[in-house]
Amino acid sequence: MTDSPPPASPLVDLPPEAFRALGREAVDVMTAFFEGIDSAAPFPARSPESVHALFDAPVPEVGEDAHAILADWNTKILPNSSVLGHPKWFGFVNGSGSQIGAIADALASTLNPNLGGWKAAPAATEIERRTVSWLSELIGYGKESSGLFLSGGTMANMAALRTALCDAATWDVTADGLQGSGSSRHLTVYMADHETHVSLPAAVDFLGLGRNSIRKVPSLPDFTMDVAALDRMLEEDTAAGMTPFCIVGHGGSINVGAIDNFAAIADVAARRNIWFHVDGACGALGAMLPELVHRYDGMARADSVSFDAHKWLGVPYEAACLLVRDPLALPKAFATTATYLQSSLPSEYTGLNYFDYGPQLSRGWRALKVWMSLRFYGAEGYRAIFRQTIACAKHLHREVARSDDFEVVQPEPELYIYAFRYAPVALRGDDAALDTLNQRIADELLRRKVAFVMTTRIRGRVTQRLSICSHRTTLRDIDETLAAMREVGEELSRES
Ligand SMILES: Cc1ncc(COP(=O)(O)O)c(C=O)c1O
């Protein structure tokens, strides 16, 4: 009996002409998106249930026509999507995305290298190495450092804390975890009480350190870490038998964009031989600006610095960068040993294997979109974008300060993040009412599809908080958003 031939597989590539036609259609869709981005609704204002219902389809048993799949973009996907690249998207700390980055992502997927091992990605690995080194140079962190791209600031903070831990421990953390002989069980990490980003406690959770290992350092009135208090805490904790292993400073904090006093923290860290990590997810790149670089004094002395390319650089998600001053520190924390990865013996094709430098084995080609974006805009182009966003934040501050119905809650912004409060005279002093009113204003702006704004709490009180991260945002967008807030605020105040 002879085996019958297997049925013809539909899993074949499209003929070149069909692929080209599909690609052109996709590029048309992308072009229309970018063309209409200013007039799109920043937020779809649809309920989670209604969006869920739209995609509630059975598993496709039979393959569909690619053009029909693409057609869903305009009918189902776009009308139910948030547009982070909209000039009035001020939520979270989201980057605006870039056209060159979108093209880079398509090209990255086309070659589909795996940036874990050099042999699976020779050119791609060298592009990552070069891009990381460009970024390091641009922020004055020095060419000797090493680093890599990770999914985001959260993973970068996690990787930095593990690196710090492996560096500080007197035992082999890789072998004995947190329980090696010499472990005092009192490993402690220091971060500011007000502005520390939630990704840092998450990193502590992830590493199994326990939240009690976090020592919250008081903040100064300008929301930076009180370094004198830090020093006192370190003194007391060390005397009490604890093992401080890391201090985290912020380069552009989440609520108010504060930049810590890096030089002072670096002094303390050096004197006490403790790892100093700068979480610069939002703003480490501000060191690229000559007029601001003095605010980053001491950052070059940090043991590690992380920042998100998918924020201020506008590179499409996901891309964060972690830089570490000691090139041996990352492999100490992450090196793998499997012979099937390393090859059993070195050869002339043994190159840089990024799986030895971070938590991922398989890795996508994040570097391509950063590399292409840096080449496309150039450092000067990015400086111009940064200046524009900072100018927007400063303008907002001035408008808030000179108004009698908004209230200043932070110093003049140095970066692009700014918090403030709607506080009409009649309600001043009634914090509970102002909290509710400010939240309702933000919600109403979303509902009206005017702008995407979110609130936060500053020293316990609900405030508006705008992250003006987009290269598309102009002073006019700021004025229109503030005017809309005022209009809604007045309406809601009259109602209550
Ligand atoms: C200061 C800070 N650190 C870390 C993160 C986490 O970054 P990601 O969202 O890329 O994981 C953020 C995100 O906004 C942040 O603002």
Side-chain angles (χ1 to χ4, degrees), residues 180-228:
S181 62
S183 161
S184 65
R185 294 192 298 118
H186 289 302
L187 290 156
T188 44
V189 48
Y190 296 76
M191 37 187 100
D193 62 351
H194 196 285
E195 288 297 280
T196 286
H197 189 264
V198 67
S199 56
L200 285 150
V204 164
D205 293 349
F206 204 85
L207 294 173
L209 283 160
R211 292 273 173 118
N212 290 337
S213 67
I214 298 176
R215 306 282 287 135
K216 289 189 178 165
V217 183
S219 302
L220 296 169
D222 66 358
F223 298 93
T224 60
M225 181 188 276
D226 181 342
V227 183

Short mmCIF file of all heavy atoms in Angstrom, two decimals, residues 180-228:
data_model
loop_
_atom_site.label_atom_id
_atom_site.label_comp_id
_atom_site.label_asym_id
_atom_site.label_seq_id
_atom_site.Cartn_x
_atom_site.Cartn_y
_atom_site.Cartn_z
N GLY A 180 21.54 32.85 49.84
CA GLY A 180 22.91 32.40 49.98
C GLY A 180 23.46 32.71 51.36
O GLY A 180 22.97 33.60 52.06
N SER A 181 24.52 31.96 51.74
CA SER A 181 25.12 32.26 53.04
C SER A 181 25.69 33.66 52.93
O SER A 181 26.30 34.02 51.93
CB SER A 181 26.20 31.24 53.36
OG SER A 181 27.19 31.33 52.40
N GLY A 182 25.48 34.45 53.91
CA GLY A 182 25.88 35.86 53.81
C GLY A 182 24.67 36.72 53.55
O GLY A 182 24.70 37.93 53.75
N SER A 183 23.59 36.09 53.10
CA SER A 183 22.38 36.87 52.90
C SER A 183 21.84 37.29 54.26
O SER A 183 21.64 36.45 55.13
CB SER A 183 21.32 36.04 52.18
OG SER A 183 20.06 36.61 52.37
N SER A 184 21.65 38.55 54.41
CA SER A 184 21.17 39.03 55.72
C SER A 184 19.64 39.00 55.76
O SER A 184 19.05 39.25 56.77
CB SER A 184 21.63 40.46 55.93
OG SER A 184 21.01 41.27 54.96
N ARG A 185 19.02 38.71 54.62
CA ARG A 185 17.57 38.81 54.46
C ARG A 185 17.10 40.24 54.67
O ARG A 185 15.94 40.50 54.86
CB ARG A 185 16.81 37.84 55.38
CG ARG A 185 17.07 36.39 55.01
CD ARG A 185 16.12 35.45 55.72
NE ARG A 185 16.26 35.51 57.15
CZ ARG A 185 15.29 35.91 57.96
NH1 ARG A 185 14.14 36.27 57.47
NH2 ARG A 185 15.50 35.93 59.26
N HIS A 186 18.04 41.17 54.69
CA HIS A 186 17.63 42.57 54.86
C HIS A 186 18.18 43.41 53.71
O HIS A 186 18.64 44.52 53.92
CB HIS A 186 18.15 43.13 56.19
CG HIS A 186 17.46 42.56 57.37
ND1 HIS A 186 16.11 42.65 57.56
CD2 HIS A 186 17.96 41.88 58.43
CE1 HIS A 186 15.80 42.05 58.70
NE2 HIS A 186 16.89 41.55 59.23
N LEU A 187 18.17 42.83 52.52
CA LEU A 187 18.58 43.61 51.35
C LEU A 187 17.59 44.77 51.19
O LEU A 187 16.38 44.55 51.22
CB LEU A 187 18.55 42.72 50.11
CG LEU A 187 19.61 41.65 50.04
CD1 LEU A 187 19.14 40.50 49.15
CD2 LEU A 187 20.92 42.23 49.54
N THR A 188 18.11 45.95 51.04
CA THR A 188 17.20 47.10 50.95
C THR A 188 17.51 47.95 49.73
O THR A 188 18.66 48.08 49.32
CB THR A 188 17.30 47.98 52.22
OG1 THR A 188 18.66 48.15 52.55
CG2 THR A 188 16.54 47.37 53.38
N VAL A 189 16.45 48.52 49.16
CA VAL A 189 16.59 49.37 47.98
C VAL A 189 15.86 50.69 48.26
O VAL A 189 14.80 50.70 48.87
CB VAL A 189 16.07 48.64 46.71
CG1 VAL A 189 14.71 48.02 46.91
CG2 VAL A 189 16.02 49.57 45.49
N TYR A 190 16.45 51.78 47.80
CA TYR A 190 16.02 53.13 48.21
C TYR A 190 15.41 53.88 47.04
O TYR A 190 16.02 53.98 45.98
CB TYR A 190 17.24 53.89 48.79
CG TYR A 190 17.71 53.16 50.04
CD1 TYR A 190 18.43 51.98 49.93
CD2 TYR A 190 17.35 53.61 51.30
CE1 TYR A 190 18.80 51.26 51.06
CE2 TYR A 190 17.71 52.89 52.44
CZ TYR A 190 18.42 51.72 52.31
OH TYR A 190 18.76 50.99 53.43
N MET A 191 14.21 54.36 47.24
CA MET A 191 13.54 55.13 46.19
C MET A 191 12.65 56.20 46.81
O MET A 191 12.25 56.08 47.97
CB MET A 191 12.75 54.21 45.26
CG MET A 191 12.05 53.04 45.90
SD MET A 191 11.32 51.89 44.70
CE MET A 191 12.51 50.57 44.60
N ALA A 192 12.35 57.22 46.04
CA ALA A 192 11.64 58.38 46.60
C ALA A 192 10.19 58.03 46.93
O ALA A 192 9.57 57.20 46.26
CB ALA A 192 11.68 59.53 45.61
N ASP A 193 9.67 58.68 47.96
CA ASP A 193 8.33 58.32 48.44
C ASP A 193 7.20 58.79 47.52
O ASP A 193 6.18 58.14 47.40
CB ASP A 193 8.10 58.85 49.87
CG ASP A 193 8.17 60.36 49.97
OD1 ASP A 193 8.56 61.02 48.97
OD2 ASP A 193 7.83 60.90 51.04
N HIS A 194 7.40 59.92 46.84
CA HIS A 194 6.29 60.46 46.06
C HIS A 194 6.33 60.02 44.60
O HIS A 194 5.33 59.57 44.04
CB HIS A 194 6.25 61.99 46.13
CG HIS A 194 4.94 62.57 45.68
ND1 HIS A 194 4.57 62.63 44.36
CD2 HIS A 194 3.89 63.08 46.38
CE1 HIS A 194 3.36 63.17 44.26
NE2 HIS A 194 2.93 63.45 45.47
N GLU A 195 7.48 60.14 43.97
CA GLU A 195 7.54 60.03 42.51
C GLU A 195 8.03 58.68 41.99
O GLU A 195 8.13 58.50 40.78
CB GLU A 195 8.43 61.15 41.95
CG GLU A 195 7.79 62.52 42.04
CD GLU A 195 6.52 62.60 41.20
OE1 GLU A 195 6.60 62.78 40.00
OE2 GLU A 195 5.42 62.46 41.79
N THR A 196 8.34 57.75 42.88
CA THR A 196 8.80 56.46 42.37
C THR A 196 7.73 55.82 41.51
O THR A 196 6.57 55.75 41.89
CB THR A 196 9.17 55.53 43.55
OG1 THR A 196 10.40 55.99 44.09
CG2 THR A 196 9.34 54.09 43.08
N HIS A 197 8.15 55.33 40.36
CA HIS A 197 7.19 54.71 39.45
C HIS A 197 6.85 53.29 39.90
O HIS A 197 7.69 52.57 40.45
CB HIS A 197 7.79 54.66 38.03
CG HIS A 197 6.81 54.22 37.01
ND1 HIS A 197 6.71 52.92 36.57
CD2 HIS A 197 5.84 54.91 36.35
CE1 HIS A 197 5.75 52.83 35.67
NE2 HIS A 197 5.20 54.03 35.53
N VAL A 198 5.62 52.90 39.65
CA VAL A 198 5.10 51.62 40.12
C VAL A 198 5.89 50.43 39.56
O VAL A 198 5.87 49.33 40.14
CB VAL A 198 3.60 51.52 39.75
CG1 VAL A 198 3.41 51.45 38.23
CG2 VAL A 198 2.92 50.38 40.43
N SER A 199 6.62 50.65 38.47
CA SER A 199 7.40 49.54 37.91
C SER A 199 8.51 49.10 38.85
O SER A 199 8.99 47.96 38.75
CB SER A 199 8.00 49.95 36.57
OG SER A 199 8.77 51.12 36.72
N LEU A 200 8.93 49.98 39.74
CA LEU A 200 10.03 49.59 40.64
C LEU A 200 9.56 48.63 41.73
O LEU A 200 10.19 47.59 41.93
CB LEU A 200 10.73 50.84 41.18
CG LEU A 200 11.61 51.43 40.07
CD1 LEU A 200 11.74 52.91 40.18
CD2 LEU A 200 12.96 50.74 40.01
N PRO A 201 8.46 48.94 42.43
CA PRO A 201 7.91 47.88 43.32
C PRO A 201 7.61 46.59 42.54
O PRO A 201 7.82 45.50 43.06
CB PRO A 201 6.63 48.51 43.86
CG PRO A 201 6.84 49.98 43.75
CD PRO A 201 7.76 50.22 42.59
N ALA A 202 7.17 46.73 41.30
CA ALA A 202 6.90 45.52 40.50
C ALA A 202 8.19 44.73 40.29
O ALA A 202 8.18 43.49 40.34
CB ALA A 202 6.27 45.91 39.16
N ALA A 203 9.28 45.44 40.05
CA ALA A 203 10.57 44.76 39.86
C ALA A 203 10.99 44.06 41.15
O ALA A 203 11.52 42.94 41.13
CB ALA A 203 11.62 45.78 39.43
N VAL A 204 10.74 44.73 42.25
CA VAL A 204 11.06 44.13 43.56
C VAL A 204 10.23 42.86 43.76
O VAL A 204 10.74 41.83 44.21
CB VAL A 204 10.80 45.18 44.68
CG1 VAL A 204 10.72 44.53 46.04
CG2 VAL A 204 11.90 46.24 44.65
N ASP A 205 8.96 42.91 43.40
CA ASP A 205 8.10 41.71 43.47
C ASP A 205 8.68 40.60 42.60
O ASP A 205 8.80 39.45 43.02
CB ASP A 205 6.69 42.00 42.93
CG ASP A 205 5.92 42.97 43.80
OD1 ASP A 205 6.36 43.26 44.92
OD2 ASP A 205 4.86 43.45 43.33
N PHE A 206 9.01 40.97 41.40
CA PHE A 206 9.48 40.01 40.41
C PHE A 206 10.74 39.29 40.89
O PHE A 206 10.92 38.10 40.67
CB PHE A 206 9.79 40.78 39.11
CG PHE A 206 9.73 39.94 37.89
CD1 PHE A 206 8.53 39.71 37.24
CD2 PHE A 206 10.88 39.36 37.37
CE1 PHE A 206 8.48 38.93 36.09
CE2 PHE A 206 10.84 38.57 36.23
CZ PHE A 206 9.64 38.36 35.59
N LEU A 207 11.60 40.04 41.56
CA LEU A 207 12.86 39.45 42.04
C LEU A 207 12.67 38.70 43.36
O LEU A 207 13.61 38.09 43.86
CB LEU A 207 13.91 40.55 42.21
CG LEU A 207 14.35 41.23 40.90
CD1 LEU A 207 15.25 42.41 41.18
CD2 LEU A 207 15.07 40.23 40.00
N GLY A 208 11.48 38.77 43.91
CA GLY A 208 11.22 38.05 45.16
C GLY A 208 11.85 38.71 46.38
O GLY A 208 12.09 38.06 47.40
N LEU A 209 12.12 40.00 46.27
CA LEU A 209 12.77 40.69 47.40
C LEU A 209 11.78 41.03 48.51
O LEU A 209 12.17 41.18 49.66
CB LEU A 209 13.41 41.99 46.90
CG LEU A 209 14.72 41.83 46.15
CD1 LEU A 209 15.01 43.06 45.30
CD2 LEU A 209 15.87 41.60 47.12
N GLY A 210 10.53 41.17 48.13
CA GLY A 210 9.52 41.57 49.12
C GLY A 210 9.44 43.08 49.24
O GLY A 210 10.46 43.77 49.21
N ARG A 211 8.21 43.56 49.35
CA ARG A 211 8.03 45.03 49.40
C ARG A 211 8.69 45.67 50.61
O ARG A 211 8.99 46.86 50.61
CB ARG A 211 6.54 45.36 49.40
CG ARG A 211 5.83 45.02 48.10
CD ARG A 211 5.91 46.16 47.10
NE ARG A 211 5.38 45.73 45.83
CZ ARG A 211 4.32 46.27 45.23
NH1 ARG A 211 3.70 47.27 45.80
NH2 ARG A 211 3.90 45.81 44.09
N ASN A 212 8.91 44.86 51.66
CA ASN A 212 9.55 45.47 52.84
C ASN A 212 11.01 45.82 52.59
O ASN A 212 11.63 46.49 53.40
CB ASN A 212 9.45 44.52 54.05
CG ASN A 212 8.02 44.42 54.54
OD1 ASN A 212 7.22 45.32 54.29
ND2 ASN A 212 7.68 43.32 55.20
N SER A 213 11.53 45.37 51.46
CA SER A 213 12.91 45.75 51.14
C SER A 213 12.98 47.19 50.62
O SER A 213 14.06 47.76 50.50
CB SER A 213 13.51 44.80 50.11
OG SER A 213 12.84 44.97 48.87
N ILE A 214 11.81 47.74 50.28
CA ILE A 214 11.81 49.11 49.74
C ILE A 214 11.84 50.12 50.88
O ILE A 214 11.00 50.08 51.78
CB ILE A 214 10.56 49.36 48.87
CG1 ILE A 214 10.55 48.41 47.68
CG2 ILE A 214 10.50 50.81 48.41
CD1 ILE A 214 9.30 48.51 46.81
N ARG A 215 12.81 51.00 50.82
CA ARG A 215 12.90 52.08 51.82
C ARG A 215 12.55 53.37 51.09
O ARG A 215 13.23 53.77 50.15
CB ARG A 215 14.33 52.13 52.39
CG ARG A 215 14.78 50.79 52.93
CD ARG A 215 14.18 50.47 54.30
NE ARG A 215 14.80 51.28 55.33
CZ ARG A 215 14.14 51.93 56.30
NH1 ARG A 215 12.83 51.89 56.34
NH2 ARG A 215 14.81 52.63 57.19
N LYS A 216 11.44 53.96 51.53
CA LYS A 216 10.95 55.15 50.84
C LYS A 216 11.62 56.42 51.39
O LYS A 216 11.44 56.75 52.57
CB LYS A 216 9.44 55.26 51.00
CG LYS A 216 8.72 54.21 50.19
CD LYS A 216 7.23 54.45 50.18
CE LYS A 216 6.57 53.40 49.31
NZ LYS A 216 5.14 53.35 49.53
N VAL A 217 12.33 57.08 50.55
CA VAL A 217 13.07 58.27 50.96
C VAL A 217 12.16 59.49 50.79
O VAL A 217 11.52 59.64 49.73
CB VAL A 217 14.34 58.44 50.09
CG1 VAL A 217 15.15 59.63 50.56
CG2 VAL A 217 15.17 57.16 50.08
N PRO A 218 12.09 60.36 51.79
CA PRO A 218 11.23 61.55 51.67
C PRO A 218 11.65 62.42 50.49
O PRO A 218 12.79 62.41 50.06
CB PRO A 218 11.46 62.30 52.99
CG PRO A 218 12.12 61.35 53.90
CD PRO A 218 12.79 60.30 53.07
N SER A 219 10.66 63.16 49.99
CA SER A 219 10.92 64.06 48.86
C SER A 219 10.98 65.51 49.35
O SER A 219 10.35 65.86 50.34
CB SER A 219 9.80 63.95 47.84
OG SER A 219 9.69 62.63 47.39
N LEU A 220 11.67 66.32 48.59
CA LEU A 220 11.74 67.76 48.85
C LEU A 220 10.51 68.43 48.24
O LEU A 220 9.78 67.80 47.46
CB LEU A 220 13.02 68.31 48.24
CG LEU A 220 14.32 67.77 48.85
CD1 LEU A 220 15.52 68.17 48.01
CD2 LEU A 220 14.48 68.28 50.29
N PRO A 221 10.27 69.70 48.54
CA PRO A 221 9.11 70.38 47.96
C PRO A 221 9.08 70.35 46.42
O PRO A 221 8.02 70.39 45.82
CB PRO A 221 9.25 71.82 48.47
CG PRO A 221 10.04 71.69 49.73
CD PRO A 221 10.97 70.54 49.53
N ASP A 222 10.26 70.24 45.78
CA ASP A 222 10.26 70.20 44.31
C ASP A 222 10.10 68.77 43.78
O ASP A 222 10.32 68.51 42.60
CB ASP A 222 11.53 70.84 43.74
CG ASP A 222 12.79 70.05 44.10
OD1 ASP A 222 12.69 69.02 44.82
OD2 ASP A 222 13.89 70.44 43.66
N PHE A 223 9.74 67.84 44.65
CA PHE A 223 9.47 66.44 44.29
C PHE A 223 10.72 65.63 43.96
O PHE A 223 10.61 64.51 43.48
CB PHE A 223 8.46 66.33 43.13
CG PHE A 223 7.11 66.91 43.46
CD1 PHE A 223 6.82 68.23 43.15
CD2 PHE A 223 6.14 66.15 44.09
CE1 PHE A 223 5.59 68.79 43.47
CE2 PHE A 223 4.90 66.70 44.41
CZ PHE A 223 4.63 68.02 44.09
N THR A 224 11.90 66.17 44.20
CA THR A 224 13.11 65.36 44.03
C THR A 224 13.41 64.66 45.36
O THR A 224 12.91 65.05 46.42
CB THR A 224 14.33 66.22 43.62
OG1 THR A 224 14.57 67.20 44.64
CG2 THR A 224 14.08 66.91 42.28
N MET A 225 14.24 63.65 45.25
CA MET A 225 14.59 62.90 46.46
C MET A 225 15.41 63.76 47.41
O MET A 225 16.32 64.49 46.98
CB MET A 225 15.41 61.66 46.04
CG MET A 225 15.82 60.78 47.19
SD MET A 225 16.97 59.47 46.63
CE MET A 225 15.86 58.24 46.03
N ASP A 226 15.11 63.66 48.69
CA ASP A 226 15.87 64.37 49.71
C ASP A 226 17.13 63.55 49.99
O ASP A 226 17.09 62.55 50.71
CB ASP A 226 15.01 64.52 50.97
CG ASP A 226 15.73 65.26 52.08
OD1 ASP A 226 16.97 65.36 52.03
OD2 ASP A 226 15.04 65.72 53.02
N VAL A 227 18.24 63.99 49.40
CA VAL A 227 19.45 63.16 49.44
C VAL A 227 20.06 63.13 50.85
O VAL A 227 20.66 62.12 51.27
CB VAL A 227 20.48 63.64 48.39
CG1 VAL A 227 21.70 62.73 48.38
CG2 VAL A 227 19.83 63.63 47.00
N ALA A 228 19.88 64.21 51.61
CA ALA A 228 20.38 64.19 53.00
C ALA A 228 19.62 63.13 53.79
O ALA A 228 20.21 62.38 54.58
CB ALA A 228 20.21 65.58 53.62
#
